[in-house]
Structure formats: C-alpha cells, structure tokens
Amino acid sequence: MLRPAQIFLSLFLLCAVLPAYGQGGIPDKIGNNTDRGPSLTALEKKAKNGAERGDYSHAVHYYTLLWQRDSTDAEALNGLGEAALANTQYDKAIWAFQTLLNKGLSKDAGHTMTRLAFAFYSKGDYDEAERRYRQVETVANVSKEAKKEAEEGLESCAWAKGITGQEKVELSSLTNTLNTRYAEYAPVRVENTLYYTSYSRPINPDSSKMRMQILAATPDGDSLRTQATDLNEGNKHTAYLAFNSDRTVQYFARADHEKESIIQFQLYRRKSTGPDAWGPAEKLPDYINLKDVTTTQPNIGRLPGDTLETLFFVSDRPGGSGKKDIWYSRIEKDSFSAPQNLKSVNTGEDDVSPYYYSGDSTLYFSSNSYTQMNLGGFDIFRSKRSKSGWTSPAPMPPPFNSGANDVFFSISEACNMQFFASNRGGSLNFSEEECCYNLYGTQKNLEIKIDVFHKVTFAPLDQTKMRLMEKTAGGLTEILRIEVPGYTHTFPLAADKNYVLITGKSGYSSDTISFETFGNAWGKCLEQRCYLRPIKIDLNVFVYDADSKQPVLGADIYFYD
C-alpha cells in the first residue's frame, strides 16, 4: 500500500504555527477573489513546494485554489487528495479522490480507487475501505500496481479489524489542564512533574511568531500549574527534554528561529550541580550534530547487560535507511561513541520519537511505514531488546494508535502512567482544517485502593462488605458487591467516571465515600481510607418480682451471645 510521504517535524510546526495568523491559517494575501490573486503557475509552484517540504496544510490550501479556478484540473484534485491525506484531513481526501473518479479525470482509476480506499482506512472505516479495495478488480485495464495495492489494502483491513478492541484501555485527554489550541507533544513525566514541548508561546509578547518551549506541569491543589522551564533561551526553539537514569543530566534539542517551516535542531545537554540546580547548556560534539542536517528528539536508556547508557536520537543525516531515522550512540563518561543507525527498526519512510523503557527493555517509536501494520499516519511501534538483538517492531493497539498521527509514547512508573501525543479527531484546534497535537494519557490498570479502619481505635478492620457504584445523571448503578476478608481491597476503575463506595460491617455504621477519575490522565494514585464506627447500644435492665410486681434489688443478671 502506497503511503503519502510525510515530514514529521514540519507537521508539528504547521499545526502550531498556522493558527498564529488567524483561523484562516494562511499568511498569503489570497482570498476568494482569484482574479486578483497570483497566476496559475505561481499557485502550482506554491502547492508543489508545500508538498515537497512537508507543508501539507499550505499544499491543501493552494491545491484548493487551483481547483477553484479549474474544477477539471486533475493534477490539482490529486495533489489535494494526497496533501489532505498527509495532513490527516481524511474527509477532504475522500472528496478529492471521489471527485476524480466521478468526473472521469483520473489517468489511473485503479490507483485513485486505492487512494480513496486508503483514505477510508485511515479514517477508521475499515468496512468501507475493504469494499473500495474490492472494487479495484472491476476497473477496466487495471494496472498490476493497482492490483497489488488493493491486495495489500485488503490484508491491512483484515489486520486492522482483528486488532480493534483487543486491548481495553481508557484514554484521557489533558484538555482541561494542559492542552491548548496550539500544539503540545513529547510528554515525559519525572516524579511529580510532567515536562512537555509546546508551540503556544510567542517569541515576545508583541510577536505573532511562535516558538517551541519546554514547559513543566506540577499539581496545584485540584489543578495543574504550568510554567516555562529555564531551559528555554531567547527566541530560539527549545524542545524534547530527556533525562539520564539517575536524573543528573538533561538532554534537549535547540534551533534558531527561522522563517522556513523546516527547522534543523541540534542536541544539547546540561549537568546537575545540586538539588534543582543545573549547569550551563553544552552542545554535543560535531560528530553528533552534523552540519546541515537535523539532530533531534533525544532519549536515554540502558540496554540489558550494558553498564553504559545509550543516547537515542532522530536525524535525517546521510547513511540512513530512509528519511528521518533513529540513531544511537553509547555514552562513555563525557564522550559519545560514533552514531550508528538503528537498522533493525528503521524503514524507508520516517521513524521518529524514540523512547526506551528499561522496565521491559523495549524501544517505543513512531513510524509512517510498516504498511501492513499501520492504521494511518504515524503509528506507535515497539521492539524489545534482548541479547540476540531487537525483535521485529509490532504496533501498539488502539486506542494508542489511530488513523491520525500518534507519536512520543512514554511511560512513567509513578502511578503506572503512559503518555503520548496525537492530532486525532477531538483534539483542540482552531478549525478542523488545522488540527494540532494534544497530550493524551492513561493510567495502566487504573484502580483505587481502599483500606478500612476502626473509627475509635484506628486499628485495621477486616471482614467488611463493599459496594462500588457509578454515579450518573440517572442515579447510582451498582458495579460490584464484594466481601473483603482482610482490611484492604483494590478496585479496577474506568477513566472519566464518578464513583460512590459504601463500606459496611455487622455491628458498625457504614462509611460512604465519593471520588472521580476525571482528568486522571495526569495520574492520581488513588487511595482512600474508610472508618467504621461501632454501633453503641445502651441497655437498661429492670428486674421485678413475678407475683408482686415489685422491683427486685441485688439480682444477678447473666448475658449470653
């Protein structure tokens, strides 16, 4: 299955930068009055240059202008469809390819039909994609290439249907806390702080130009407090923070602010000089930061059995497997070994956002290749490291992957959290034409631990009964009723829910607690204590003579259970 060429970094920049010019998104003075606009030749050049640079949002705009001038312009419609696909505007891509077919403008109807099917596939409509792929056989004089594309597409549809719904994961968006209408990505949580890169800050208060900055979010009561880190410098782009294993060295990428959307990053580091204190930024050696290429997205990990740490990064330098590749270099005290291409995972397309997690010896990364295992755009893949090498990359299941771009997966041991960024539908944006990256998270095995204690003595209390209920507008719905032999129990939960828990025990008054999991993408380690007060009964006993009915004094009274 052919895939649209995608330039990963430029997608980020376009998502974030275009809204700075307003909802229209295009700084050029081109309106609906095309008679006063540039020539067809100029529009064609702008459209093609945009697609070649990876400026797909601009390419969509200019191809649309070309089509408005001439609704029979097959090249404009095809360019519009491909640029819309690369920019995850799937409905617009479907319209463009369908228009080509309906008007009989396609020079290769079989190929156009496979692109239409792929647009449905990327949108997540696998049944319709399958139907469209099967229609390729009905096209007269269909090419061998189109037949092969259709066969591979049908295999992808069967694969996608097989993995959908396999893993029950509740995702939460950080929309109410961190996400903006610009772009947020590259989340990394260290202890109780979430660091991430944002394209939501202007170069200066009076500027419409935006720059990438590394921000830090920490809990502040029931919300999060976000502030810029001291890593950011002047009007430069600063992005993609990573730490070594003992948190004594920070790695990040920095680049000059240029007019072009393609930015050439270089890697830096700074060392700890004490608690919450860091030394000056040091640029990594020239053989790491090659001239005239981008070197970006650092990550640090220690491979099994290795005493030294490894620097993973992304670069489009010569000698790679494709466009942007993942490279690595072993860190030897203050120096680095010669960078090596991670050929085991790299493809002919873009392979980006590496994250190595030592907890399961697995490298997580995103790629827009692996055609038979891709839901569309960039998907998150994982490859496990062993003594014999790296395993074949396997995709993460939905909902981590979607038909949009899913990137920068990371894991936090605090609260068993997983984070990533995506520009999937539903993300905050200025319009559906300019969808930007948002942060998403999930707490693996989201749960709450309940401990029960005696209200008076505060001793642990066993042999209790618990009822977990979900609270909705319609009232309470019981989810689980259980007898707990010990004094503690852990309940599995779902994200974005209101819960009520009632704990009781014979001879004690019950205790009711309410809690919620809204916004739990941040990762609240949920734990609650219940306190049961013993029921106290005052018994007044009066003894009377059975015959005279007179009170009897000094009687012996016995109680039996």
Side-chain angles (χ1 to χ4, degrees):
M1 184 189 304
L2 296 178
R3 301 285 176 179
Q6 295 176 306
I7 305 299
F8 182 60
L9 178 59
S10 61
L11 284 174
F12 282 154
L13 302 180
L14 282 167
C15 272
V17 130
L18 289 178
Y21 297 99
Q23 186 159 320
I26 304 297
D28 305 73
K29 302 300 182 182
I30 301 173
N32 292 327
N33 186 355
T34 54
D35 292 335
R36 298 178 64 84
S39 66
L40 282 174
T41 302
L43 285 177
E44 289 172 354
K45 183 177 180 179
K46 286 177 176 289
K48 291 179 180 178
N49 286 346
E52 290 172 358
R53 293 198 313 268
D55 296 353
Y56 298 114
S57 187
H58 283 166
V60 166
H61 173 73
Y62 292 121
Y63 278 124
T64 299
L65 291 179
L66 286 168
W67 173 81
Q68 288 174 346
R69 287 197 174 188
D70 182 2
S71 62
T72 63
D73 188 341
E75 185 175 349
L77 279 171
N78 187 71
L80 174 58
E82 293 294 348
L85 261 180
N87 208 42
T88 66
Q89 296 173 242
Y90 299 129
D91 286 334
K92 182 165 286 189
I94 289 170
W95 173 85
F97 293 130
Q98 188 67 69
T99 301
L100 274 170
L101 294 171
N102 291 345
K103 292 189 175 184
L105 299 174
S106 176
K107 296 180 181 179
D108 187 343
H111 174 69
T112 301
M113 195 168 289
T114 63
R115 303 309 288 151
L116 175 61
F118 178 59
F120 279 109
Y121 178 90
S122 299
K123 190 179 178 181
D125 191 344
Y126 306 124
D127 289 334
E128 185 63 19
E130 185 176 23
R131 188 176 75 85
R132 300 288 182 150
Y133 279 126
R134 294 192 186 282
Q135 287 181 347
V136 173
E137 286 287 349
T138 67
V139 176
N141 301 318
V142 63
S143 65
K144 292 182 179 179
E145 291 78 8
K147 283 186 177 181
K148 183 178 180 181
E149 291 166 7
E151 291 172 359
E152 292 177 347
L154 289 171
E155 292 177 8
S156 294
C157 287
W159 170 80
K161 288 182 180 181
I163 68 168
T164 302
Q166 278 187 358
E167 190 164 324
K168 301 297 182 182
V169 175
E170 296 282 350
L171 286 185
S172 290
S173 170
L174 292 172
T175 296
N176 295 328
T177 51
L178 300 180
N179 290 325
T180 69
R181 293 185 182 276
Y182 296 94
E184 285 79 35
Y185 39 90
V188 176
R189 181 168 174 173
V190 177
E191 296 176 349
N192 213 28
T193 300
L194 182 69
Y195 297 94
Y196 63 100
T197 299
S198 177
Y199 215 134
S200 61
R201 306 292 176 98
I203 293 178
N204 58 64
D206 299 325
S207 176
S208 63
K209 295 181 179 179
M210 310 301 285
R211 62 169 174 156
M212 302 168 73
Q213 292 191 70
I214 296 173
L215 306 183
T218 53
D220 185 11
D222 293 332
S223 61
L224 294 176
R225 181 169 59 93
T226 301
Q227 62 182 4
T229 66
D230 62 354
L231 285 160
N232 305 309
E233 178 181 315
N235 63 353
K236 295 180 181 293
H237 293 292
T238 306
Y240 314 126
L241 179 63
F243 289 82
N244 67 341
S245 59
D246 59 7
R247 311 287 191 261
T248 58
V249 184
Q250 294 175 329
Y251 293 83
F252 56 96
R254 181 172 286 168
D256 292 328
H257 195 286
E258 302 288 351
K259 293 181 180 180
E260 295 294 331
S261 60
I262 303 298
I263 296 176
Q264 290 185 346
F265 277 104
Q266 294 185 318
L267 295 185
Y268 289 75
R269 71 178 175 186
R270 64 178 190 172
K271 301 174 183 178
S272 173
T273 58
D276 299 322
W278 298 90
E282 306 171 1
K283 186 178 176 182
L284 297 195
D286 290 343
Y287 60 89
I288 300 290
N289 292 310
L290 291 184
K291 186 178 180 181
D292 296 329
V293 300
T294 193
T295 305
T296 185
Q297 300 171 20
N299 179 255
I300 308 298
R302 181 178 280 111
L303 303 183
D306 199 344
T307 58
L308 299 178
E309 291 183 314
T310 295
L311 165 68
F312 297 93
F313 62 92
V314 171
S315 181
D316 56 358
R317 65 189 58 207
S321 300
K323 299 174 182 177
K324 286 187 172 65
D325 276 359
I326 298 172
W327 297 73
Y328 67 96
S329 175
R330 296 178 78 227
I331 304 172
E332 301 169 345
K333 294 184 179 180
D334 279 347
S335 62
F336 302 83
S337 66
Q340 301 292 318
N341 187 274
L342 192 58
K343 295 182 179 180
S344 300
V345 304
N346 289 322
T347 68
E349 296 297 325
D350 289 315
D351 306 291
V352 296
S353 65
Y355 177 83
Y356 183 81
Y357 179 57
S358 59
D360 57 9
S361 303
T362 299
L363 179 72
Y364 297 84
F365 66 100
S366 291
S367 177
N368 60 355
S369 189
Y370 295 104
T371 56
Q372 301 305 305
M373 299 185 296
N374 193 302
L375 294 178
F378 281 91
D379 277 2
I380 302 168
F381 291 81
R382 50 191 169 188
S383 175
K384 194 175 182 66
R385 174 72 178 187
S386 65
K387 292 182 179 180
S388 59
W390 298 94
T391 61
S392 297
M396 295 282 284
F400 294 103
N401 286 329
S402 67
N405 292 315
D406 307 297
V407 291
F408 287 109
F409 180 85
S410 68
I411 296 175
S412 168
E413 293 183 352
C415 301
N416 294 317
M417 290 298 301
Q418 297 171 322
F419 295 97
F420 67 100
S422 178
N423 66 344
R424 63 187 58 191
S427 299
L428 282 177
N429 52 76
F430 283 82
S431 73
E432 284 306 313
E433 303 297 310
E434 298 162 1
C435 185
C436 286
Y437 285 84
N438 277 184
L439 302 179
Y440 290 84
T442 179
Q443 188 166 5
K444 191 176 181 181
N445 302 323
L446 179 59
E447 58 193 21
I448 185 169
K449 180 185 177 186
I450 304 295
D451 296 329
V452 187
F453 297 90
H454 193 287
K455 181 68 174 179
V456 178
T457 66
F458 301 107
L461 200 60
D462 58 8
Q463 302 298 321
T464 59
K465 296 180 180 180
M466 298 183 184
R467 294 174 62 201
L468 181 66
M469 293 172 285
E470 181 184 347
K471 183 180 180 181
T472 63
L476 295 176
T477 302
E478 184 172 279
I479 298 175
L480 182 64
R481 183 188 296 239
I482 187 171
E483 293 187 9
V484 181
Y487 78 96
T488 185
H489 185 73
T490 300
F491 289 94
L493 303 174
D496 300 330
K497 301 287 185 181
N498 274 314
Y499 288 101
V500 172
L501 180 80
I502 300 176
T503 303
K505 178 180 174 69
S506 179
Y508 292 80
S509 59
S510 62
D511 189 11
T512 301
I513 59 174
S514 299
F515 59 94
E516 63 181 32
T517 57
F518 289 96
N520 211 59
W522 171 247
K524 300 173 185 174
C525 298
L526 297 177
E527 184 172 344
Q528 290 273 12
R529 289 190 170 195
C530 295
Y531 294 91
L532 305 187
R533 182 183 294 277
I535 299 174
K536 184 179 180 181
I537 301 176
D538 293 327
L539 178 63
N540 296 319
V541 179
F542 301 90
V543 182
Y544 295 87
D545 184 274
D547 296 325
S548 67
K549 310 300 183 187
Q550 295 299 311
V552 176
L553 302 178
D556 293 329
I557 300 173
Y558 298 91
F559 291 91
Y560 297 93
D561 184 359

